[in-house]
Amino acid sequence: MKNKTKKITAAFLAAMTLLASSAPMNASADGAVKIVALGDSITNGYSMDGSLIASYPQIVSEYYGAELVNFASNELTSEGLLAQLSDGTVQSEIADADVVLITIGGNDILYPVLNNEFIDATKYNTMAELITAMKGQGDMFIFQMQLYLNSVMPEVIKSFNANVQEIENRVHSMTDAQVVVQTIYNPMSLSADDTPLANSGSMTALSANVHSYLEGKPDNTLYPEDGGVNDFIRGLGMSSIVDTFNLFADHSYFYTHINNVDVHPNSKGHLAMAASVIDVLGLPETGAGNSSLMRRAYKDSGAETTLAGVNTAINDSVVGKILKKGVGDVDADGDVTISDATAALKIYAYDLASLEAPITGIDALTADADSSGSVEISDATLILKYYAESTAGLFSGTFSEYIASK
């Protein structure tokens, strides 16, 4: 044990000696892109229970070190967004944007399904309560509700398609920015989730209805087109599309608060949306941004354990982005400093002593600054070199850029 202690002490002394030669100064900041977000409560980051860590526009903006202007409003419909686009302030901000993010349509499609004379979802605290109430109404209730939906949804779909086309036209007339529009997910798409809700006949019936409105169905005679609203969104010619419907398909239990009769995405859902938006944007992986907000959302939401068993592609995408722009920032505070080097040394010391380190999971992965596969003294040294050079004004980029320059 004495030899191990000597090695740990030597590592700290070597690191601190390297640091002593630096004179702290502020590093210069890169210019930021500007992101304007438009849409409904999803874009606005609404969560019924207040548990949401960060909305997808916040995560995307922090990732790029961008300025975010968010005009989203709860309960906004496509018609409401059209009206908002006539506002001079909104027009001015869109004209000045580099990226415009749009999420709209959930209120158009889901409100008639969950809030009508047959169903008032706001009266129930859980989906189990709502399903029990629906079953208690008998078969005639389901038949009557289906007749109602068949009568109102064709016009809802037709109106939404016209509105979203006009939204795209107006936004592109105001700006040369990259415009990203998301398809509408089905919050009751639970077939691959191992939960009691996945096997509920009433839930399956509701989900099938929503699915047909969103995705259409073969030989559809009820709606203006065989395709649903999402096919129309996917066909928008001037915008980039994030296919959130397929992102959430079969796993909405894990990406939304549907169990509590809340159709909004939870923190894991917003993480998945943010990762997909970043992929579609394809912006240069440079600038002042990092992934500290994404990492905090990832850790605190439980995504590290649940996403691994639900959709490893999304899990891997989020982890990859964290490690691409957040490596070295062990404490996830947005900066690579002395404390991160100390944390890396702590991980190394505990491993050397065959003890379980207090820093684990994604935080431990970010401590592997040189991506060697393990945390060593060299990782702490690399972090300290970056800190010394950046504070002395010898390097003005991010830690990821610093590594790439070596």
Side-chain angles (χ1 to χ4, degrees):
M1 181 63 71
K2 289 183 179 180
N3 288 335
K4 290 181 180 179
T5 302
K6 288 180 180 179
K7 290 182 180 179
I8 297 170
T9 302
F12 271 96
L13 288 175
M16 294 304 116
T17 299
L18 175 65
L19 176 65
S21 62
S22 69
M25 294 174 59
N26 291 328
S28 62
D30 293 335
V33 299
K34 182 174 184 176
I35 296 176
V36 171
L38 304 171
D40 51 28
S41 51
I42 295 174
T43 312
N44 200 31
Y46 173 81
S47 177
M48 186 182 295
D49 65 359
S51 64
L52 185 65
I53 297 162
S55 67
Y56 86 88
Q58 290 175 306
I59 295 172
V60 172
S61 298
E62 193 255 12
Y63 187 84
Y64 288 116
E67 174 191 357
L68 173 63
V69 180
N70 195 338
F71 289 109
S73 176
N74 296 346
E75 301 183 3
L76 197 70
T77 63
S78 58
E79 183 177 352
L81 179 52
L82 270 178
Q84 190 181 55
L85 292 177
S86 297
D87 181 271
T89 301
V90 175
Q91 292 175 347
S92 176
E93 294 289 0
I94 291 175
D96 193 42
D98 299 291
V99 173
V100 178
L101 304 178
I102 302 175
T103 308
I104 197 70
N107 291 316
D108 296 66
I109 304 302
L110 292 174
Y111 191 87
V113 178
L114 293 176
N115 298 275
N116 53 65
E117 61 181 297
F118 304 99
I119 293 178
D120 182 358
T122 62
K123 291 182 178 180
Y124 305 94
N125 295 318
T126 67
M127 282 304 299
E129 292 178 7
L130 174 58
I131 291 168
T132 299
M134 289 174 61
K135 288 180 177 178
Q137 297 294 321
D139 293 340
M140 184 57 68
F141 162 81
I142 299 294
F143 176 73
Q144 290 175 328
M145 180 179 170
Q146 191 65 58
L147 286 177
Y148 162 78
L149 292 175
N150 288 347
S151 69
V152 302
M153 291 308 296
E155 187 58 36
V156 169
I157 292 169
K158 182 179 179 180
S159 177
F160 172 80
N161 287 350
N163 288 343
V164 78
Q165 182 64 74
E166 183 62 18
I167 288 168
E168 183 189 45
N169 293 341
R170 290 193 192 181
V171 170
H172 281 277
S173 72
M174 300 174 194
T175 184
D176 293 327
Q178 185 173 358
V179 179
V180 179
V181 184
Q182 300 205 38
T183 58
I184 306 168
Y185 63 86
N186 182 354
M188 289 166 281
S189 178
L190 314 172
S191 59
D193 297 336
D194 185 18
T195 73
L197 290 179
N199 301 314
S200 166
S202 298
M203 173 66 84
T204 301
L206 277 176
S207 181
N209 274 298
V210 174
H211 181 94
S212 65
Y213 308 144
L214 299 179
E215 295 292 292
K217 57 184 178 181
D219 303 319
N220 191 342
T221 59
L222 295 175
Y223 318 127
E225 302 173 5
D226 285 348
V229 294
N230 281 337
D231 277 344
F232 195 89
I233 294 173
R234 295 181 186 112
L236 294 174
M238 296 181 284
S239 305
S240 301
I241 306 299
V242 169
D243 203 342
T244 309
F245 175 87
N246 284 318
L247 195 67
F248 282 38
D250 302 329
H251 297 298
S252 291
Y253 183 89
F254 290 103
Y255 291 122
T256 73
H257 294 287
I258 192 60
N259 191 49
N260 297 324
V261 204
D262 180 2
V263 300
H264 295 90
N266 55 27
S267 291
K268 291 185 281 290
H270 277 276
L271 275 168
M273 293 165 69
S276 296
V277 169
I278 291 168
D279 286 337
V280 167
L281 284 175
L283 294 175
E285 299 283 341
T286 59
N290 54 52
S291 63
S292 60
L293 182 59
M294 179 180 283
R295 174 139 55 107
R296 289 197 297 273
Y298 182 75
K299 289 174 55 185
D300 296 345
S301 69
E304 192 163 15
T305 55
T306 59
L307 288 188
V310 175
N311 192 322
T312 54
I314 293 174
N315 193 60
D316 291 347
S317 177
V318 172
V319 172
K321 288 172 175 57
I322 291 171
L323 295 181
K324 190 169 188 177
K325 300 201 74 174
V327 67
D329 182 17
V330 187
D331 57 12
D333 67 352
D335 294 307
V336 178
T337 62
I338 299 172
S339 63
D340 299 303
T342 302
L345 285 172
K346 183 179 290 186
I347 295 171
Y348 169 74
Y350 272 77
D351 182 64
L352 192 66
S354 299
L355 299 172
E356 183 177 353
I359 303 171
T360 59
I362 192 70
D363 290 339
L365 291 177
T366 60
D368 183 15
D370 59 9
S371 301
S372 66
S374 61
V375 180
E376 307 287 345
I377 294 178
S378 58
D379 296 304
T381 302
L382 185 59
I383 292 171
L384 283 168
K385 282 183 177 179
Y386 166 75
Y387 177 75
E389 292 183 27
S390 61
T391 53
L394 301 176
F395 189 84
S396 61
T398 65
F399 186 64
S400 296
E401 293 169 330
Y402 181 76
I403 295 173
S405 70
K406 297 301 176 182

